[in-house]
Amino acid sequence: MKYSVLIGNELRAIRNRHNMSLKELQDKTGIYAQTLSEYENNKVKIKVCVLEKILINGYGLDLFYFFKTIYENTHNLEPIKTTKWILVRKTKKQKQI
């Protein structure tokens, strides 16, 4: 499955979980309802900065939460508890706090 499809599906799922209409989301984000619908239906690709604007202004969520949820859903994982990670330098090493 393409990631753009997963992104659109998750955007719709979050909006439904918040019991919000496209018009209400438009009012919070300043992005037209038609454009939001196109993102949710995977008709157009969404830029990361626009995705971040929708998540933060519309729902108070961040990109980490959004992509973590997609990852957990596609890998049939239990939700990750409160674990924080810091990238150490620009390597793949990570340090848990």
Side-chain angles (χ1 to χ4, degrees):
M1 180 176 282
K2 292 186 177 184
Y3 287 109
S4 59
V5 173
L6 297 172
I7 289 171
N9 292 347
E10 187 59 26
L11 277 174
R12 173 172 279 134
I14 291 171
R15 185 172 57 79
N16 289 336
R17 283 195 297 270
H18 283 82
N19 295 318
M20 193 178 295
S21 69
L22 285 169
K23 174 66 172 122
E24 291 170 321
L25 187 56
Q26 172 184 307
D27 294 341
K28 287 187 165 197
T29 62
I31 300 169
Y32 291 116
Q34 178 62 37
T35 304
L36 293 166
S37 176
E38 289 172 353
Y39 292 145
E40 289 182 358
N41 291 307
N42 308 299
K43 292 183 179 177
V44 294
K45 291 184 181 179
I46 187 170
K47 293 181 181 178
V48 173
C49 60
V50 175
L51 176 60
E52 187 173 38
K53 181 179 182 178
I54 293 169
L55 293 173
I56 291 172
N57 296 343
Y59 311 112
L61 302 175
D62 60 18
L63 288 172
F64 174 78
Y65 170 85
F66 182 79
F67 287 110
K68 176 182 75 77
T69 304
I70 289 175
Y71 181 83
E72 291 167 353
N73 290 341
T74 57
H75 291 85
N76 297 320
L77 300 175
E78 292 293 319
I80 298 172
K81 304 276 180 182
T82 55
T83 303
K84 294 183 180 178
W85 293 90
I86 296 177
L87 292 176
V88 179
R89 298 187 193 126
K90 289 189 178 183
T91 66
K92 293 184 180 179
K93 296 180 184 178
Q94 294 182 328
K95 180 180 178 182
Q96 186 174 10
I97 346 182

